[in-house]
Amino acid sequence: MNAEPIIRVTGLHKWFGMLHVLSDVGLEVLPREVVCIIGRSGSGKSTFLRCINFLEEPSAGSIEIDNLIVRAGGKGKVHRQLVHDVRLKTGMVFQEFDLFPHLSVFENVLEGPITVKKMDKTKATEIAEMNLDRVGLLFKKDEYPNRLSGGQKQRVAIARALAMEPKLMLFDEPTSALDPELIGEVLNVMKKLAQEGMTMLVVTHEMGFAREVADRVVVMAEGEIIEQDTPENIFKIPKDVRTKALIDRYRSGGQ
């Protein structure tokens, strides 16, 4: 692929007080590419993802999303507008579903296009219904979140993110809060999105998903990217001993 990267992260650092959580992280992701980020708990994966759409403010470095460049440490109206514009281009799905409990499934998905994008209600309704259908939950549109399973809640969360018509999707361990029997239904939706050509950056501990769906696997340890390669190479011939230990734990059934 000769396309320009849709994500370009350069020299990213993040400190929480004295704790250096991300250290000089750089990554490029091409349009339509699916990149899975794996690593032990505490390796900086989720913080990295949250920095990309400025849920965490980076301490140093720059993030470019679809030709919008935002540098760490920016202040004022221009910086805030850039962050807002970056967020409009990125859909985010969290570990917890974060649905509004007082709104129906349909209203949850409708909320963003109307309030954030100021979309006409007829158009927003069409987009909301289309995306609920995409995740197989249009028949639940009038239910409230407390009547849904965990897997259904996460699929609604995906539909809600898609309704904003993002250029790319960020997934932060989207199955980690689910019972084992519900994980597959969420992964299947994500596989379908990958097949449709959605650019995806996925923090996951689901190694089988990473192996099957990713174009590239990125391995993080101690706040750094220690290795990145095709799934086949990462899982068969890892170069770094920490990657090998991670893969060995997965094969032996460890988390």
Side-chain angles (χ1 to χ4, degrees):
M1 287 189 276
N2 294 318
E4 278 289 300
I6 193 167
I7 302 174
R8 184 183 276 121
V9 178
T10 309
L12 188 70
H13 290 263
K14 177 64 183 176
W15 282 271
F16 289 111
M18 297 294 289
L19 194 62
H20 197 182
V21 180
L22 295 174
S23 177
D24 196 25
V25 176
L27 183 69
E28 293 186 351
V29 179
L30 295 173
R32 303 176 70 88
E33 193 176 17
V34 177
V35 176
C36 284
I37 304 174
I38 64 173
R40 297 288 293 272
S41 186
S43 59
K45 309 183 299 295
S46 291
T47 301
F48 174 52
L49 208 67
R50 290 171 67 84
C51 283
I52 287 176
N53 71 348
F54 292 85
L55 288 172
E56 294 289 355
E57 188 71 36
S59 304
S62 68
I63 291 164
E64 182 178 347
I65 303 287
D66 195 32
N67 300 315
L68 284 176
I69 301 174
V70 190
R71 291 180 173 83
K75 297 276 187 284
K77 192 175 177 182
V78 172
H79 178 75
R80 286 195 300 273
Q81 185 62 49
L82 272 173
V83 168
H84 174 75
D85 292 346
V86 160
R87 286 179 178 157
L88 284 179
K89 290 175 182 281
T90 57
M92 180 103 181
V93 177
F94 302 90
Q95 295 177 30
E96 300 295 340
F97 326 114
D98 294 332
L99 299 178
F100 297 114
H102 62 291
L103 298 180
S104 70
V105 162
F106 181 64
E107 289 165 338
N108 263 282
V109 179
L110 198 63
E111 179 80 5
I114 287 178
T115 16
V116 180
K117 295 183 88 174
K118 313 296 182 199
M119 197 180 281
D120 163 77
K121 188 166 184 185
T122 306
K123 170 84 169 152
T125 296
E126 188 183 307
I127 285 171
E129 288 183 342
M130 179 188 76
N131 283 296
L132 279 171
D133 191 41
R134 231 169 146 184
V135 302
L137 285 175
L138 187 54
F139 74 106
K140 292 281 190 183
K141 63 181 280 191
D142 297 321
E143 294 280 10
Y144 283 80
N146 66 351
R147 299 287 301 271
L148 303 179
S149 70
Q152 289 170 337
K153 288 176 186 174
Q154 194 60 294
R155 284 152 64 196
V156 172
I158 293 171
R160 182 178 59 181
L162 290 171
M164 295 295 288
E165 303 180 302
K167 290 291 188 77
L168 59 109
M169 288 284 284
L170 308 175
F171 292 88
D172 185 10
E173 303 236 22
T175 60
S176 65
L178 298 179
D179 294 332
E181 67 272 15
L182 301 176
I183 288 171
E185 64 185 73
V186 173
L187 294 181
N188 285 337
V189 167
M190 293 169 66
K191 286 176 193 174
K192 186 178 162 200
L193 290 179
Q195 288 159 3
E196 290 171 3
M198 175 61 76
T199 308
M200 293 162 58
L201 192 53
V202 184
V203 169
T204 186
H205 60 271
E206 296 291 338
M207 299 292 186
F209 175 83
R211 190 166 192 165
E212 181 187 347
V213 180
D215 297 300
R216 184 158 39 112
V217 175
V218 170
V219 187
M220 290 189 70
E222 295 159 2
E224 298 178 341
I225 290 175
I226 58 169
E227 188 167 354
Q228 53 180 308
D229 210 329
T230 63
E232 185 176 11
N233 287 345
I234 289 289
F235 285 94
K236 286 188 178 173
I237 44 169
K239 296 184 180 73
D240 193 287
V241 292
R242 290 165 292 180
T243 306
K244 186 176 186 307
L246 188 70
I247 303 304
D248 287 346
R249 287 186 90 222
Y250 156 63
R251 290 207 178 104
S252 66
Q255 288 302 309

